[in-house]
Amino acid sequence: MIAQAPNILQAGTISPADPLIFGFWKVPKSVCATVCYQAIKSGYRRLDCACDYGNEKEVGEGIAKAIQDGLCTREDLFVTSKLWNTYHKHVAAACQRSLDDLQLSYLDEYLIHFPISMEYVPFDKKYPPEWLNLEGKMVLVPNDMCATWKAMEELVDQGMAKTIGVCNFSTQLLRQIFSTCKIRPSTLQIELHPHNSQEKLVRFAHENGMNVTAFSTLASSSYVELDMATADDSLMTNSVIVDIAKAKNKTPAQVLIRWALQRNTFPLTKTTKDERMKENRNVLDFKLTLDEMSKINALNKNHRYNDPGVFCEGMGTFCPIYE
């Protein structure tokens, strides 16, 4: 029995309809403008950025050149940026800085990056502020996430962002936002791959009308060089994934991206190589069967590679956000 292709837009109207997202985490500034231009040239119209990635100026240069050269119009693109942890009480200023760097007059989507509020670091002293303050310490500060959300809503009222959403939130945090919000979150962006399928959270988001973006679609690939994963964690060499890829005449990466699509999530991938951009987009001409989906689902072990409760301890602060 063949699994039915998902209705990618069932969680709300999305423009552009193409569900494939190109991300800029860890894309070096030295090549980022070119990478952005090539991603757009390869067909990507959904671009995932963040203050914390430290390369929004370069992304903006790539976007401007792509528009100037006629590859796309601004209206063709869906550009996402994110509110960093130090700016929960400076939401409008943080959004404006991203807009300025990206050379845009509005964002299609602005997300709270983490449900973590840290000590404010002035824009003119250190940008992006990253995880440590000017004294080299990670300092958490009390904050009402609903107050942050109210400031996010004001961005929509002011025309700075068309939609707003969250990253790395739990079901309980989402319920908290739902209980007081005027504008409901449009998107939940979370770490999703066969090692961390988060079925209940994905279902909860969909049942509440949210789109779900899957980051780290290829699992451990981005984390080995950060010592947050080992080569043994790789799904690209997992026998289940490799066997399905061979049967489909596809690559393991394409199988993982297709798995994400058939869960009705928006897979986010990144690369600096033109050929990989094309490979990662070539996933709409095949389907995984229900049996193949089940085999991949069985690989789940509830393992996160991007967990502040783990990596923040290396900065001297215990900061769990997941149980």
Side-chain angles (χ1 to χ4, degrees):
M1 181 178 181
I2 302 295
Q4 295 297 307
N7 174 10
I8 295 299
L9 305 183
Q10 74 175 31
T13 301
I14 287 292
S15 179
D18 186 337
L20 303 175
I21 305 174
F22 190 88
F24 291 93
W25 181 51
K26 291 176 56 189
V27 175
K29 292 173 67 171
S30 59
V31 299
C32 189
T34 299
V35 167
C36 177
Y37 183 89
Q38 288 303 128
I40 294 171
K41 189 175 182 180
S42 296
Y44 285 97
R45 294 296 180 265
R46 294 177 60 84
L47 307 176
D48 184 80
C49 315
C51 150
D52 187 55
Y53 302 164
N55 54 18
E56 288 192 318
K57 280 189 176 180
E58 291 72 22
V59 173
E61 292 168 6
I63 290 173
K65 182 172 176 14
I67 292 174
Q68 181 181 358
D69 290 355
L71 297 183
C72 64
T73 66
R74 170 64 185 95
E75 292 69 30
D76 292 331
L77 300 176
F78 190 95
V79 182
T80 298
S81 188
K82 306 180 188 75
L83 176 75
W84 187 239
N85 306 340
T86 53
Y87 299 139
H88 281 236
K89 298 185 186 299
H90 300 80
V91 173
C95 183
Q96 188 60 57
R97 175 60 186 262
S98 286
L99 286 171
D100 292 344
D101 285 350
L102 291 165
Q103 302 181 45
L104 300 176
S105 61
Y106 67 90
L107 292 168
D108 297 278
E109 182 175 77
Y110 197 51
L111 309 177
I112 298 175
H113 205 147
F114 283 98
I116 297 171
S117 185
M118 302 191 315
E119 182 180 82
Y120 173 65
V121 176
F123 292 87
D124 61 345
K125 299 296 184 182
K126 182 185 178 186
Y127 191 87
E130 302 177 305
W131 290 89
L132 304 178
N133 65 11
L134 297 177
E135 288 72 46
K137 298 179 180 179
M138 178 183 172
V139 180
L140 300 174
V141 296
N143 181 61
D144 178 1
M145 205 58 61
C146 289
T148 300
W149 188 255
K150 183 177 180 180
M152 294 284 285
E153 292 175 330
E154 291 172 0
L155 299 179
V156 178
D157 294 338
Q158 296 164 10
M160 298 172 71
K162 289 192 172 183
T163 63
I164 49 178
V166 297
C167 307
N168 305 300
F169 272 46
S170 65
T171 55
Q172 188 54 42
L173 278 171
L174 289 173
R175 286 191 183 96
Q176 181 181 348
I177 298 298
F178 293 158
S179 69
T180 63
C181 67
K182 178 180 70 175
I183 302 173
R184 289 169 70 88
S186 61
T187 291
L188 171 66
Q189 184 176 130
I190 49 177
E191 179 181 340
L192 288 177
H193 45 74
H195 280 165
N196 190 44
S197 58
Q198 302 203 73
E199 291 184 8
K200 291 181 180 178
L201 182 54
V202 171
R203 176 182 172 183
F204 180 82
H206 281 157
E207 289 184 356
N208 281 277
M210 299 178 71
N211 297 296
V212 178
T213 294
F215 75 77
S216 298
T217 307
L218 306 184
S220 64
S221 300
S222 294
Y223 298 99
V224 174
E225 64 188 80
L226 301 175
D227 293 326
M228 295 164 71
T230 69
D232 292 338
D233 292 317
S234 177
L235 280 169
M236 308 287 268
T237 56
N238 181 280
S239 60
V240 171
I241 305 299
V242 170
D243 288 348
I244 293 173
K246 288 179 180 177
K248 301 294 186 184
N249 196 28
K250 293 290 183 179
T251 66
Q254 289 171 326
V255 169
L256 292 170
I257 295 168
R258 184 68 209 186
W259 175 82
L261 283 174
Q262 289 188 211
R263 301 181 76 216
N264 196 32
T265 64
F266 292 73
L268 193 166
T269 58
K270 71 95 180 172
T271 180
T272 58
K273 299 177 181 179
D274 294 356
E275 63 271 21
R276 293 294 187 200
M277 293 179 192
K278 295 173 184 176
E279 174 187 329
N280 291 346
R281 288 191 57 77
N282 187 21
V283 294
L284 302 177
D285 61 348
F286 76 105
K287 297 178 183 177
L288 299 173
T289 66
L290 290 177
D291 181 60
E292 290 165 338
M293 289 291 290
S294 295
K295 288 179 179 178
I296 298 174
N297 291 343
L299 298 175
N300 180 54
K301 52 185 181 180
N302 300 319
H303 182 73
R304 289 179 171 83
Y305 296 101
N306 191 334
D307 186 349
V310 176
F311 66 75
C312 286
E313 290 214 76
M315 294 176 264
T317 301
F318 181 48
C319 186
I321 62 173
Y322 312 114
E323 289 75 21

